[in-house]
Amino acid sequence: MKESYEFVAIFSYEDDGINIRFPDLEEAISYAETTKEALKNAKEVLELVLYNREEEEIKIPKSTPLEKIKCKENEKTVTVSVWMPLVRNEMEEQAVKKTLTIPQWLNKLAEAQNVNFSKVLQSALKEYLKIKRIL
């Protein structure tokens, strides 16, 4: 897996906002109301699409060179860079909500002791799975 990627985004300035698309990644589309927001959204959607393609083992194409991309009058190109080690870490450390069931008496005792249920469950799972370090 590559450490970084760089793709060209096209910002289409319309009356109702800015449409964002990446010619090399058809599923990478977004929208924004301002250029500042468009830059942020372009980076976020590119990160998500690239991470998903890596996870699903879908080929990531080479980026079309900026000079080969033709724009309409209301469009501008922007080069967006992504540092994948950071993206992978953020995605893998993302919290996942789980619903679980415990007996009421145990819940009452734990709440009386101000137990952090998430922390206790994580510790118990690491112990059960024999995980000695943070992955």
Side-chain angles (χ1 to χ4, degrees):
M1 287 188 276
K2 288 179 66 171
E3 286 196 352
S4 65
Y5 292 95
E6 194 172 85
F7 281 90
V8 176
I10 297 177
F11 290 7
S12 299
Y13 290 84
E14 308 294 340
D15 291 337
D16 62 344
I18 305 164
N19 293 315
I20 305 159
R21 65 185 172 88
F22 288 83
D24 298 311
L25 302 161
E26 70 254 1
E27 72 272 37
I29 56 173
S30 191
Y31 170 84
E33 292 184 6
T34 66
T35 300
K36 183 177 179 180
E37 183 185 25
L39 291 166
K40 178 180 137 318
N41 292 356
K43 185 169 176 62
E44 286 177 0
V45 75
L46 182 59
E47 290 172 345
L48 291 170
V49 165
L50 293 174
Y51 179 79
N52 184 61
R53 281 186 174 229
E54 285 184 351
E55 287 294 297
E56 300 294 323
E57 298 181 359
I58 299 170
K59 184 179 185 240
I60 297 173
K62 289 185 179 183
S63 181
T64 301
L66 183 61
E67 61 274 6
K68 290 191 176 185
I69 295 180
K70 306 290 184 225
C71 289
K72 297 177 185 170
E73 192 173 303
N74 66 325
E75 296 179 334
K76 300 281 186 207
T77 56
V78 177
T79 302
V80 181
S81 300
V82 174
W83 179 250
M84 291 306 292
L86 180 61
V87 173
R88 290 180 198 113
N89 186 53
E90 285 179 14
M91 296 300 284
E92 290 164 13
E93 290 297 319
Q94 195 172 32
V96 177
K97 186 171 180 140
K98 291 289 185 189
T99 302
L100 59 100
T101 306
I102 61 173
Q104 184 173 336
W105 65 267
L106 186 57
N107 183 60
K108 286 180 181 180
L109 283 173
E111 284 182 344
Q113 296 293 315
N114 294 318
V115 170
N116 180 327
F117 287 89
S118 294
K119 187 174 182 178
V120 170
L121 178 58
Q122 287 178 48
S123 295
L125 283 170
K126 288 175 185 176
E127 184 178 327
Y128 184 82
L129 297 169
K130 297 177 179 39
I131 297 172
K132 302 275 190 234
R133 62 180 180 84
I134 298 174
L135 297 176

